[in-house]
Amino acid sequence: MLIPIKLSQISRLIPSVGTGGQFKYALGDPRKILQRLIISSIGGIINFLISISQTGNQTYNLWLLLCVVFFLYIIWGPILESSRKNLKFRKFKFFSIFDGYVSDIYKTEKIESSREQSNRQGRLEIVENKRTWLVLELEDEDGYLDKISFPMENKHSQIRVGSNIRCLVTSNYRNFDRDIYLTDAWLPDINLWVGDYPYLLRPAFEEICYIYLNNLMRK
């Protein structure tokens, strides 16, 4: 079941500025954090050295400001990334709460990174770092909607075919018949959240689901 919600509710569900959970996601794995640190350090040092050479000039304050900006890149970089992701999702025209069930569950392998290393014969070979992802196919009384995938963890063993699941669906088409996008999802029966990127402010989504579904039951 797709339950249309007002656009005014979207700001409650998807913030314009990244949250703590979204910051953590955008910060990335240790390799990505190291890349950010390198960019932050090199950019900060270069601008600091330039600012020293510009002491007494009108551009001194500008170079000093750029130095601070680069040194803080490790902080504002993930905030900017998550905020842009949120704003991109909020630009769609129509939003609905999806209240359905898990129709199928399966696993897939995704390559997270790869590198070259020498084998015993001295030949270069590609070593791939793979991770298991869980895929949930979603349906309701009207049929198949879409699927949601995310890195698998031990807690996901609770999920079963037929489990009730809710998420936010968006599209630029009022009838949601094509080009739809899903947020992270909530399984209320086991109180478990799943998804790759944490779009939703989860307590607010749970509250809105309760209000909208109760209103439907009263009609």
Side-chain angles (χ1 to χ4, degrees):
M1 175 170 53
L2 289 175
I3 309 167
I5 64 173
K6 299 177 181 178
L7 289 176
S8 59
Q9 299 282 14
I10 301 306
S11 59
R12 286 190 60 200
L13 298 176
I14 303 177
S16 55
V17 178
T19 63
Q22 293 168 348
F23 175 88
K24 183 179 178 181
Y25 176 92
L27 189 60
D29 56 21
R31 185 176 180 180
K32 190 172 181 180
I33 293 173
L34 179 60
Q35 290 175 343
R36 291 186 188 276
L37 281 172
I38 292 173
I39 294 172
S40 177
S41 300
I42 293 176
I45 291 171
I46 290 174
N47 281 280
F48 177 70
L49 294 175
I50 294 175
S51 69
I52 291 176
S53 68
Q54 298 296 314
T55 303
N57 293 342
Q58 292 182 347
T59 58
Y60 171 76
N61 289 334
L62 174 61
W63 287 111
L64 191 61
L65 176 62
L66 288 174
C67 170
V68 174
V69 168
F70 268 99
F71 276 128
L72 293 178
Y73 173 70
I74 189 66
I75 297 176
W76 65 258
I79 294 175
L80 180 62
E81 182 179 329
S82 57
S83 298
R84 288 177 62 185
K85 199 174 183 72
N86 291 357
L87 291 172
K88 184 178 178 180
F89 197 92
R90 288 174 54 163
K91 285 182 179 179
F92 288 95
K93 295 180 180 178
F94 305 103
F95 296 85
S96 286
I97 296 171
F98 170 75
D99 182 29
Y101 61 91
V102 178
S103 61
D104 194 16
I105 305 172
Y106 58 91
K107 300 175 185 177
T108 186
E109 297 288 328
K110 286 193 177 183
I111 299 173
E112 292 196 333
S113 62
S114 61
R115 68 182 189 278
E116 289 186 344
Q117 71 176 31
S118 299
N119 58 21
R120 293 181 179 179
Q121 289 75 38
R123 297 176 181 175
L124 286 177
E125 59 182 14
I126 297 177
V127 178
E128 296 176 338
N129 179 27
K130 296 182 178 180
R131 187 171 183 180
T132 301
W133 282 53
L134 198 64
V135 182
L136 308 182
E137 294 193 348
L138 311 185
E139 290 189 19
D140 61 7
E141 63 270 17
D142 295 322
Y144 178 79
L145 176 75
D146 204 346
K147 59 187 176 184
I148 184 172
S149 60
F150 45 89
M152 186 174 180
E153 300 177 16
N154 291 334
K155 61 184 179 181
H156 298 141
S157 60
Q158 306 174 64
I159 305 172
R160 298 286 186 271
V161 171
S163 295
N164 185 229
I165 190 166
R166 296 168 185 167
C167 64
L168 195 64
V169 185
T170 187
S171 176
N172 283 324
Y173 300 93
R174 187 182 297 274
N175 54 5
F176 294 91
D177 60 344
R178 61 188 185 277
D179 296 337
I180 64 171
Y181 298 91
L182 311 182
T183 61
D184 41 330
W186 176 42
L187 291 96
D189 297 337
I190 54 177
N191 195 26
L192 178 67
W193 278 88
V194 296
D196 181 26
Y197 178 77
Y199 279 104
L200 297 172
L201 291 173
R202 295 174 174 181
F205 182 74
E206 293 173 12
E207 179 186 351
I208 287 176
C209 283
Y210 177 80
I211 293 171
Y212 273 77
L213 289 170
N214 272 2
N215 289 339
L216 281 177
M217 292 175 64
R218 290 172 184 171
K219 291 180 180 179

